[in-house]
Amino acid sequence: MNETIETILNHRSIRKFKDTPLTNEQINLIIEAAQQASTSSYMMAYSIIGVTDKEKKRALSEVSGQPYVYDNGHLFVFCADLNRHTIKADQNDYEQMLPNLENSEHFLVSAIDAALASQNAALAAESLGLGICYIGSLRNDIEKVDEILSLPKHVIPLFGMVMGVPAQEPDKKPRLPKKAIYFENEYQNHESELDEFDEAITEYYKSRQSNQRTDSWTDQMLRRFKKPMRMDVTDHVQRKGYNKR
Amino acid sequence: MNETIETILNHRSIRKFKDTPLTNEQINLIIEAAQQASTSSYMMAYSIIGVTDKEKKRALSEVSGQPYVYDNGHLFVFCADLNRHTIKADQNDYEQMLPNLENSEHFLVSAIDAALASQNAALAAESLGLGICYIGSLRNDIEKVDEILSLPKHVIPLFGMVMGVPAQEPDKKPRLPKKAIYFENEYQNHESELDEFDEAITEYYKSRQSNQRTDSWTDQMLRRFKKPMRMDVTDHVQRKGYNKR
């Protein structure tokens, strides 16, 4: 077990931070780390916005419904970005590029590029003793986030990430058994592994330090998917010229 | 600078490996690392398939057009997986879940979940002295990959990853200047940073050890997007019940 793997295995999301902003040196190192992630065909199809303006932070915190989107050491927003690739295009080039740029393939490419960069950023931060939490809840009102950050066409906000000096030590959250997510050579039935996990997770929710409850993973997921949520993401994405064809 | 950040900053994609398969211990540790990544609302919406069967590996190598998809220490395929969440659903639940499960929001969630896990896997492997390369070219024929791996509805193959003991030492590939991807408080014009990068990358392509050529990043991207590619990904994704609404 080396330091990198220890950092990876020690991850838990941190939602309460000390009142210490990240230093510029930390931010620079974290961005450098993000940028060194693999990128599909050298597209580097993402942008990162660091939000320090208090009004903007407050507004983003309201979109997410989470106080720690305001109270943290730094807030990043990771965006899929296919705008950069057309900046130097003339009108003729641009029109030729659109059918390709606006298909599902490049929606995937940009989301994956951004995610790989973000995970490097997360681990770099954690290796420096900082805590992090991904903020998917910015997509509660993706249109509003787009406005707050003045994003042009072909740029969409995917998720935020807050960082800071941890002011809590949450339990490590259990994961699915390996057999339920890793298969050899082809996809396999893993119903019995889900049963096993449901038992384990029910036990975990009953016995953890805070926020105890009776629940299973399967039930959580059924409830989640039965309640329509963020149905406007589809329209927003298409309006910004993504994922159209 | 700590070991984790050194590992991150030292990344280069490796496309030539020694003839040494990964050990089970290595694979287990890498999967454990992948699983510890953050996951949106605990959805863990991905599966990983380790391909050891020679015929399947050969077929996947043909899809990608890359010999190193066959010749490596191990081949993983990372899949978006929203099938798992419906396994325990009855018909009534299932029908209620579909509109939500099949929207762009959950297409994003599953792609991002898979990507975060994959980047943990990549860094865990690199920290063990292994080399890695992402294989987006599995999407050259996504339908074929789906068949080879027997993927059910609501599971799509996003990308592969090859790993092994490196048998090459490629140069580290330059990245966009920080000012071109990291903005404060709102999106910013970065045309002059692209010019700066084009100059740097032209120099890099002229002077690197192998595969020298005259090219700029901007020109590469214009060429790439002007040529329609993987236009069938859109249809495949929708056929598998993703990204429909």
Side-chain angles (χ1 to χ4, degrees):
Chain A
M1 184 83 67
N2 59 50
E3 258 182 53
T4 306
I5 293 181
E6 264 177 46
T7 301
I8 289 173
L9 296 184
N10 196 40
H11 166 73
R12 46 268 276 162
S13 294
I14 299 297
R15 296 179 172 87
K16 207 167 156 42
F17 302 98
K18 292 189 181 158
D19 194 15
T20 317
L22 265 65
T23 64
N24 279 337
E25 198 192 351
Q26 286 174 323
I27 293 172
N28 286 340
L29 193 53
I30 287 164
I31 295 298
E32 193 186 345
Q35 289 200 263
Q36 201 47 39
S38 292
T39 163
S40 184
S41 301
Y42 210 28
M43 279 188 266
M44 302 184 274
Y46 63 93
S47 287
I48 308 170
I49 303 191
V51 187
T52 52
D53 178 275
K54 290 195 171 187
E55 222 166 290
K56 284 181 193 282
K57 265 186 114 169
R58 181 73 69 195
L60 292 170
S61 170
E62 274 164 21
V63 167
S64 85
Q66 304 299 348
Y68 47 87
V69 173
Y70 185 79
D71 293 317
N72 51 56
H74 202 70
L75 166 64
F76 297 95
V77 181
F78 286 81
C79 304
D81 188 340
L82 295 171
N83 167 59
R84 176 175 301 129
H85 310 78
T86 66
I87 289 178
K88 297 286 183 179
D90 62 26
Q91 190 59 28
N92 197 20
D93 287 336
Y94 185 73
E95 276 163 28
Q96 263 184 277
M97 291 168 90
L98 279 190
N100 198 16
L101 192 125
E102 297 191 334
N103 66 9
S104 296
E105 162 68 7
H106 289 104
F107 184 49
L108 269 182
V109 160
S110 58
I112 293 166
D113 264 18
L116 302 187
S118 75
Q119 188 55 13
N120 268 11
L123 289 171
E126 289 176 331
S127 79
L128 296 169
L130 301 168
I132 71 109
C133 188
Y134 278 84
I135 311 292
S137 51
L138 289 188
R139 297 192 305 276
N140 285 346
D141 190 347
I142 194 167
E143 199 79 26
K144 182 84 189 165
V145 175
D146 170 82
E147 268 169 46
I148 295 168
L149 304 178
S150 308
L151 303 182
K153 193 165 182 190
H154 297 135
V155 179
I156 47 174
L158 295 172
F159 49 83
M161 188 186 292
V162 291
M163 289 185 187
V165 179
Q168 62 176 183
E169 281 187 78
D171 295 337
K172 197 167 146 177
K173 215 163 169 191
R175 293 296 189 251
L176 285 164
K178 180 188 156 214
K179 276 184 163 182
I181 74 119
Y182 183 65
F183 311 120
E184 213 169 311
N185 290 316
E186 58 185 12
Y187 197 84
Q188 273 144 45
N189 181 305
H190 54 284
E191 200 167 337
S192 65
E193 284 78 11
L194 291 188
D195 291 335
E196 184 195 314
F197 186 59
D198 272 344
E199 274 180 45
I201 198 71
T202 303
E203 201 46 50
Y204 164 80
Y205 281 130
K206 263 191 219 159
S207 65
R208 69 177 177 179
Q209 288 172 36
S210 64
N211 200 12
Q212 294 184 356
R213 66 182 200 259
T214 302
D215 204 356
S216 76
W217 184 79
T218 300
D219 286 342
Q220 240 182 95
M221 294 302 127
L222 291 190
R223 284 199 310 277
R224 178 185 179 88
F225 282 102
K226 281 161 83 168
K227 195 177 131 199
M229 79 181 289
R230 302 178 188 159
M231 300 304 281
D232 57 327
V233 166
T234 304
D235 290 340
H236 178 77
V237 158
Q238 298 212 353
R239 197 177 67 71
K240 299 294 280 193
Y242 265 91
N243 198 28
K244 289 170 86 166
R245 297 168 180 88
Chain B
M1 182 86 65
N2 58 49
E3 258 181 52
T4 306
I5 293 181
E6 265 177 46
T7 300
I8 289 173
L9 296 184
N10 196 40
H11 166 74
R12 45 268 276 163
S13 294
I14 298 296
R15 296 179 172 88
K16 208 168 155 44
F17 302 97
K18 292 188 182 159
D19 193 16
T20 316
L22 265 65
T23 64
N24 280 336
E25 198 192 351
Q26 286 174 321
I27 294 171
N28 286 340
L29 194 51
I30 287 163
I31 296 297
E32 192 185 347
Q35 289 199 261
Q36 201 47 39
S38 292
T39 164
S40 183
S41 301
Y42 210 28
M43 279 187 266
M44 303 184 273
Y46 63 95
S47 287
I48 309 170
I49 302 190
V51 187
T52 51
D53 177 276
K54 291 195 171 187
E55 221 166 290
K56 283 180 194 281
K57 264 185 115 169
R58 180 75 68 194
L60 292 170
S61 171
E62 275 164 20
V63 167
S64 86
Q66 304 298 349
Y68 47 87
V69 174
Y70 186 79
D71 294 317
N72 51 59
H74 203 70
L75 167 63
F76 297 95
V77 180
F78 286 81
C79 304
D81 189 339
L82 295 171
N83 167 59
R84 176 175 303 127
H85 310 77
T86 65
I87 289 178
K88 298 286 183 179
D90 62 26
Q91 190 58 29
N92 198 19
D93 288 335
Y94 186 74
E95 275 162 28
Q96 262 185 280
M97 291 167 91
L98 280 190
N100 198 14
L101 192 124
E102 297 191 333
N103 67 8
S104 295
E105 161 69 7
H106 289 103
F107 184 49
L108 270 182
V109 160
S110 58
I112 293 167
D113 264 18
L116 302 187
S118 76
Q119 188 56 14
N120 267 11
L123 290 170
E126 290 176 331
S127 79
L128 295 170
L130 300 169
I132 71 108
C133 188
Y134 277 86
I135 310 291
S137 51
L138 289 188
R139 296 192 305 276
N140 286 346
D141 190 347
I142 194 167
E143 198 79 26
K144 181 85 189 166
V145 175
D146 170 82
E147 270 170 45
I148 294 168
L149 303 178
S150 308
L151 303 180
K153 193 164 184 191
H154 297 134
V155 179
I156 47 174
L158 295 172
F159 50 82
M161 188 187 290
V162 291
M163 290 186 184
V165 179
Q168 62 176 184
E169 281 187 77
D171 295 338
K172 198 167 146 176
K173 214 164 170 191
R175 293 295 189 252
L176 286 164
K178 180 189 157 216
K179 277 185 161 181
I181 74 120
Y182 184 65
F183 310 120
E184 213 170 311
N185 290 316
E186 57 184 13
Y187 198 85
Q188 274 145 43
N189 181 306
H190 53 285
E191 199 166 337
S192 65
E193 283 78 13
L194 291 188
D195 290 336
E196 184 194 315
F197 186 59
D198 271 344
E199 274 180 45
I201 199 72
T202 302
E203 201 46 51
Y204 165 80
Y205 280 130
K206 262 191 220 159
S207 65
R208 70 176 175 181
Q209 288 171 37
S210 63
N211 200 13
Q212 293 184 358
R213 66 181 200 258
T214 302
D215 204 356
S216 76
W217 184 79
T218 300
D219 286 342
Q220 242 182 93
M221 294 302 128
L222 291 189
R223 283 198 311 276
R224 178 186 178 86
F225 281 103
K226 282 161 84 170
K227 195 177 129 200
M229 79 182 288
R230 303 179 190 158
M231 300 303 281
D232 56 329
V233 166
T234 305
D235 290 339
H236 178 77
V237 158
Q238 298 213 354
R239 197 178 66 72
K240 298 295 280 194
Y242 265 90
N243 197 29
K244 289 170 86 166
R245 294 169 182 90

